[in-house]
Amino acid sequence: MSTPAEAAAGAATEPDGPEGRLRRFATIWSRAIFPATATSLTRPEFEQRLLPLARTLNEALHARPFDPTPAQEVGTALVGMHCTDPDALSRTLGVVDAYLVLYCGGLGGSGELAAEERRARCARLQHALAAGFARALRERTLTEQEAIARSAMAARSDAQQALHASEERFRAVFEGAAIGIGIADLEGNVLEVNDTLMQMFGGLDAAVRSRNVGDWGHPEDAPNVWKLYGELVRGERDHYRVEKPYYRGDGTVLWTNLTVSLLRDAEGKPQYQLALMEDTTERRLLNLRLRYEATHDALTGLPNRTLFFERLEKALSAGDGMRFGLCYLDLDGFKAVNDSLGHSAGDRLLVEVADRLQSCATAPGEMVARLGGDEFVALTTGPRTEREVDELAARILAALSSPIRLDGREITVRGSIGIVEGPAGERGPAEVLRSADITMYRAKSAGGNRFELADAEADARAITRHGLTNALPTALERGEFFIEYQPLVHLHDGSVHGAEALVRWCHPQHGVLGPDRFIPLAEHTGLIVPLGRWVLEESVRQARFWQQRHADGGPLRINVNLSPTQLHHPGLVSDTVRVLERAGLEPGALCLEVTESALIGADDDLLKPLRQLAEMGVDIALDDFGTGYSNLANLRRLPVSVLKLDRSFTRGMQKHPADPVDVKIVEGIVSLAHSLELAVTVEGVETGVQAAQLRALGCDTAQGWYYARPGAPDRIHSLLLADAV
């Protein structure tokens, strides 16, 4: 007997591609349910029968708009293929849950769905498939019941002509039937029942015989069941089918598929009513269990993402005057618990957290769910959620504040909560949850153990950042980045000493973006390494071009910024050497700028590639000096040859008289740098007064808007020509 995992292992060697992946899914499915199927087909033949059904599920998964109805037809088809064993349904749902998104999630063509939406759709397809399976099984049983009923009625009719023979046939059908059969008069008095029906009601004769049909009402009866009954006994209809519950003598509930037919006499007048009952109690319990498992988290027992989205969608579609409040909780530092104590301890921690959260949301209209991992949500609904949602968030943080004891240790649990609150009917579930998620990360970045309220502008900025992050890889491939150059000027004579390369992004929608908008995103995604390599190649090539065009002038230096991620990249030295050799530029014409904060506490392993580059002749500049709170004595061990003084120290010199404190600080830094044989470059020079003051203090080079703004390479070319003149 194959499990879904074993079936998947057997299918892994089939050809790849959309059709191949679909066939692998069908193979997994067939191997999982074939042992539980009563069929004369071989397994490969059975797999071919499943392939169109797999294709139907794939198309339904990617349909726009989404409609789970085709999955019901798949469930119906399974019954038609004799897959009527409950184990076949359970294994089918397991295969769909584990492998439909895995093998068919990427077969939708353009406009791929988000992983979250695919999982939600997959869950709804499982529900629809189970419903179609149950309905087809029921229809098949009812068809058999109808056949039995007709046989019974035919036997009853023949009895009028050949009483003895027909009575024997009727008794054979009546007593031997696997379903319950009962006969009552038109007043509802039960006249006769078979043993099967008697056993369905607990085996007590008094619980069934001599009873009136009207006594068997149940609070969960369908609204129209007694209306249909009245029409039948009046002769207005010949039969009806319903799902109906009954109370047994011991108080338990019997669920049945009930078919009631009207028996007429030879003249066509209503005479008796014939009831056929199929016991569906176990099937109903199975469906309820499947529904529970599909909508609840297996670890904590809380409602899962599927059920939460159903409740949220209902809350957001409520009537006028209704509001909602959503708390999106993520535990702070949960990964450290898993890493240090193990996943088993992490699971026990999540169970305890779930219990505490449930104790916080006990009021009407409140619920708690687990979305996955260490992410939970709490929902409150009603007309006054503005205040209630804040109180709910405060209760959650208070409940988490008490340490949790695990394996003899007390674990302090903290959480960050994003809150979204508003009137119903204005936003959809996905938009609300996205806003709550963004707000939660804002709370986490503010230190955690707190809650933040959603802000439309902050959401928009986060969405923009996400869009830029996704667009970064293709932007480099499409050549959307370009470099502007800002000249570095000798303070003593105003001549151009070199230029700093500053990368820009020409975004198709947002226009030209400065490095502050995308460099942190590139750092986070790791794209900073190929982007930084491209900037180095372009800058060195441009510097070589300038040198060739101005061979009569002195050496022109190009400054290129290095990010902390690039410092840790093992190919930094080899990439730099290869770029210099390919362009034919001397190492002394290149200066790599590293921020002071990136080198605070740097060990020898981090400094080794910088030392190797410095030994080759490449200048290393310590950028933004003065902002990193580094120990000035550490300058001796750093392989730097240039200090770039942060503009915050020279801003007070833009007007006359200069700030005396700033003057003293800069004077001290310049003296220290020169004593260590380091050159000093000043950033952000914007006025002539400022430039004169810095020149008097002994600074070597400067850059800023006073000399030139960052611009195209030909502007540096023009400045070099002006110097030559």
Side-chain angles (χ1 to χ4, degrees), residues 285-298:
L285 291 176
L286 172 62
N287 287 336
L288 291 175
R289 182 174 65 84
L290 290 174
R291 165 68 179 170
Y292 182 87
E293 291 177 354
T295 57
H296 286 76
D297 178 51

Side-chain angles (χ1 to χ4, degrees), residues 226-296:
W226 293 107
K227 175 178 177 292
L228 295 173
Y229 176 77
E231 293 174 354
L232 182 131
V233 297
R234 291 193 301 269
E236 298 173 3
R237 65 169 53 243
D238 290 329
H239 62 86
Y240 65 87
R241 292 177 181 174
V242 292
E243 184 181 31
K244 180 168 174 22
Y246 294 89
Y247 282 118
R248 295 189 179 99
D250 60 1
T252 59
V253 177
L254 165 70
W255 280 90
T256 68
N257 281 333
L258 173 66
T259 301
V260 183
S261 300
L262 182 65
L263 302 181
R264 300 177 184 269
D265 60 17
E267 298 178 357
K269 294 180 181 180
Q271 190 173 21
Y272 301 103
Q273 50 180 314
L274 175 69
L276 306 178
M277 292 185 186
E278 178 199 6
D279 186 350
T280 62
T281 305
E282 290 188 3
R283 188 188 309 162
R284 181 179 177 84
L285 291 176
L286 172 62
N287 287 336
L288 291 175
R289 182 174 65 84
L290 290 174
R291 165 68 179 170
Y292 182 87
E293 291 177 354
T295 57
H296 286 76

